[in-house]
Amino acid sequence: MGRERDGLYITVPNLFRCPISLDVMKSPVSLTTGVTYDRSSIQKWLETGHDTCPATMQILPSKDFVPNLTLLRLINLWNQSSSSRRPDSAASEDQVRVWIHKIRSAGERKEECLSFLSHVAEYAGCSDYNRRVLVGIEGFVETIVGKIGESEMAVRVLALVSGENGVKEKLHRLLILQSGDRNRLSPLTSTLREAENSSSKIEAVRILDSISIDNESKRFVAETEDLVPVLLSLLLRPGPDPNHLHAAVLSLLISIAVTRSVRIRLVELGLVGFLSRTVSDRSAAAVPLAEKSLKLLSLLSTCPEGRAAISGDPNCVGGIVERLMKVSKPATEDAVAVLWGMCCLFKDGTVAEKAVRNHGVTKVLLVMQSEGEGNVRSMCRELVKALRAGYRGNGCAGAGSSGDGFVVESYDTKTTHIMPY
């Protein structure tokens, strides 16, 4: 992988990329497993409840990490060398202001506008300092927003600076509050539909996610014409390097699935099938996607259409059960919430039967053992009772019954030390 500009292709050594973000590491640190990550990425992973190494999925005996100073020196040397070949990296602030003025005044001269947008994108991608310079220039964000319908490069620039202080709020104001017109977001939808490379699609998704900062803006984004079908098509249609694109799309869907109508639309478009395949994927690389999928399943299970799709999918319940204790604590809670809601609250016998057949009782007991007092432990307690008793279509079944229901006549387990209630 690399970056190309003016015919020069700069290759980024894989050793310098964080296994989580895939960006060049700014502060490499090594876990006890020996794998090195960028500090901000691994801190976020550990702070969300994980106790495993993302690359190897080994349980960490300690969450401590140490700076990898040797690798940091190599990265710094490579940065110095490659920066000397990137003419935009050391541009003066005055030069940057000239570029922005040229972009603003380019009018119909699209090639000229694209050229200066490329300069700005290259400059923004070089350092945090450069990005702070850009967002500090009056009218910068407004100028780039005005060009998102003309060039994917404008989308890239906004994605690069969206993490800087105040930018998300400006984007929210410019794209939602001031316009009040969902057509203002259509260039981003077009990028998702028409861009040839996945990085442009990811950048458009991240901008949409960044402006979804409250329920009103989330509904605004969700109701943008054709956006939800386009997002689903990105999940269901094969493409190069899908994991990062899928992760970005799932994060946005979690954000905008705030109303029943949106959740029903997601179900109708086939999202449950994708989520089922994701939670059933046992590879280590699928863990982050599986966690986002469990969150979405917990949201979709709040509507009858979502519950019907989950119950009717041949692999979804088994995948949820399999993921218990193999994901972060929040994701485990999402998995328990789905099973509890469907088995205990809505008494879905089909789901309960599938859970039992996939050793759900043992796994729920293990989750309950690991939990302190709280809602998750209470849900696990009720879930164990429900799974052990068995359900008929509309009530409990006695031993030896058949038909719509099922029965756990005897339950033999080696986890006798676990007292469910």
Side-chain angles (χ1 to χ4, degrees), residues 4-9 85 87-88 115 118-119:
E4 186 174 10
R5 186 184 182 283
D6 298 334
L8 180 65
Y9 194 81
R85 290 174 282 158
D88 291 342
S115 174
S118 298
H119 286 316

Side-chain angles (χ1 to χ4, degrees), residues 212-232:
S212 304
I213 61 178
D214 53 32
N215 283 342
E216 183 178 352
S217 57
K218 290 175 182 179
R219 286 193 293 269
F220 184 94
V221 171
E223 293 169 5
T224 297
E225 186 178 5
D226 294 334
L227 176 63
V228 171
V230 169
L231 291 173
L232 265 291

Side-chain angles (χ1 to χ4, degrees), residues 363-383:
K363 293 180 179 179
V364 173
L365 284 170
L366 289 171
V367 173
M368 188 169 65
Q369 183 188 37
S370 68
E371 290 290 331
E373 292 300 325
N375 290 335
V376 175
R377 185 178 178 86
S378 298
M379 285 192 290
C380 286
R381 184 181 295 114
E382 293 180 25
L383 191 51

Side-chain angles (χ1 to χ4, degrees), residues 50-236:
H50 295 91
D51 60 356
T52 57
C53 172
T56 66
M57 294 312 294
Q58 292 175 261
I59 299 294
L60 296 170
S62 168
K63 293 186 179 181
D64 294 336
F65 47 73
V66 295
N68 190 327
L69 299 179
T70 299
L71 184 57
L72 178 60
R73 283 193 292 270
L74 290 173
I75 292 173
N76 287 337
L77 287 172
W78 176 83
N79 275 328
Q80 292 169 12
S81 173
S82 60
S83 292
S84 68
R85 290 174 282 158
R86 294 198 296 259
D88 291 342
S89 63
S92 68
E93 185 173 337
D94 287 341
Q95 181 63 63
V96 174
R97 290 179 182 276
V98 170
W99 294 341
I100 295 169
H101 173 73
K102 293 288 188 180
I103 293 168
R104 188 181 297 124
S105 60
E108 298 298 320
R109 302 187 299 277
K110 292 187 177 180
E111 289 188 5
E112 179 181 335
C113 181
L114 177 59
S115 174
F116 288 110
L117 280 170
S118 298
H119 286 316
V120 173
E122 184 72 24
Y123 179 82
C126 289
S127 69
D128 291 338
Y129 173 79
N130 287 3
R131 289 188 284 275
R132 288 194 294 271
V133 168
L134 286 170
V135 300
I137 295 175
E138 185 176 357
F140 163 72
V141 174
E142 291 81 354
T143 297
I144 305 302
V145 166
K147 299 298 180 180
I148 60 174
E150 301 177 17
S151 171
E152 292 176 19
M153 194 60 68
V155 175
R156 176 168 300 177
V157 171
L158 290 176
L160 284 167
V161 302
S162 63
E164 298 300 317
N165 288 339
V167 174
K168 289 182 180 180
E169 291 75 14
K170 281 187 179 180
L171 291 174
H172 177 259
R173 173 172 54 82
L174 293 167
L175 293 172
I176 295 181
L177 295 183
Q178 285 188 359
S179 69
D181 180 6
R182 291 185 178 83
N183 289 332
R184 192 70 183 266
L185 300 182
S186 60
L188 296 173
T189 304
S190 297
T191 299
L192 294 175
R193 185 190 297 109
E194 300 167 8
E196 295 181 359
N197 59 77
S198 61
S199 62
S200 295
K201 297 177 188 289
I202 292 171
E203 288 157 357
V205 171
R206 287 177 174 169
I207 291 173
L208 289 166
D209 203 4
S210 72
I211 62 177
S212 304
I213 61 178
D214 53 32
N215 283 342
E216 183 178 352
S217 57
K218 290 175 182 179
R219 286 193 293 269
F220 184 94
V221 171
E223 293 169 5
T224 297
E225 186 178 5
D226 294 334
L227 176 63
V228 171
V230 169
L231 291 173
L232 265 291
S233 72
L234 295 178
L235 295 177
L236 302 177

